[in-house]
Amino acid sequence: MRKNLANLIKVKTIVTFAILLVFSVLALRGSISGDNVMIIVSSVISFYFGTQHEKKIEKKEE
């Protein structure tokens, strides 16, 4: 449990959540369209989970 929390606090995770929060707030305010938010959020989430998956594969190979 502590290891999972430590991993959650990493910089990449904080940046990912910050980007999701900022673009969600901008969409709710009407500053940007929902389509733009979906593109940006999908890209960020794909990158985040893609790098997490790669790390798991590298650990298994070692």
Side-chain angles (χ1 to χ4, degrees):
M1 178 77 173
R2 288 184 185 178
K3 191 174 184 179
N4 289 339
L5 287 175
N7 288 336
L8 189 63
I9 298 175
K10 291 185 179 179
V11 174
K12 183 173 54 175
T13 304
I14 293 171
V15 169
T16 301
F17 287 131
I19 290 171
L20 295 176
L21 179 67
V22 166
F23 282 104
S24 297
V25 169
L26 288 174
L28 291 173
R29 285 185 169 178
S31 300
I32 57 176
S33 71
D35 292 337
N36 290 338
V37 173
M38 287 302 297
I39 292 169
I40 294 166
V41 169
S42 298
S43 300
V44 170
I45 290 174
S46 299
F47 176 76
Y48 177 76
F49 284 110
T51 55
Q52 294 297 323
H53 181 68
E54 288 294 322
K55 284 184 182 180
K56 287 181 183 179
I57 290 174
E58 289 175 3
K59 283 185 179 181
K60 287 182 181 179
E61 289 178 354
E62 292 177 355

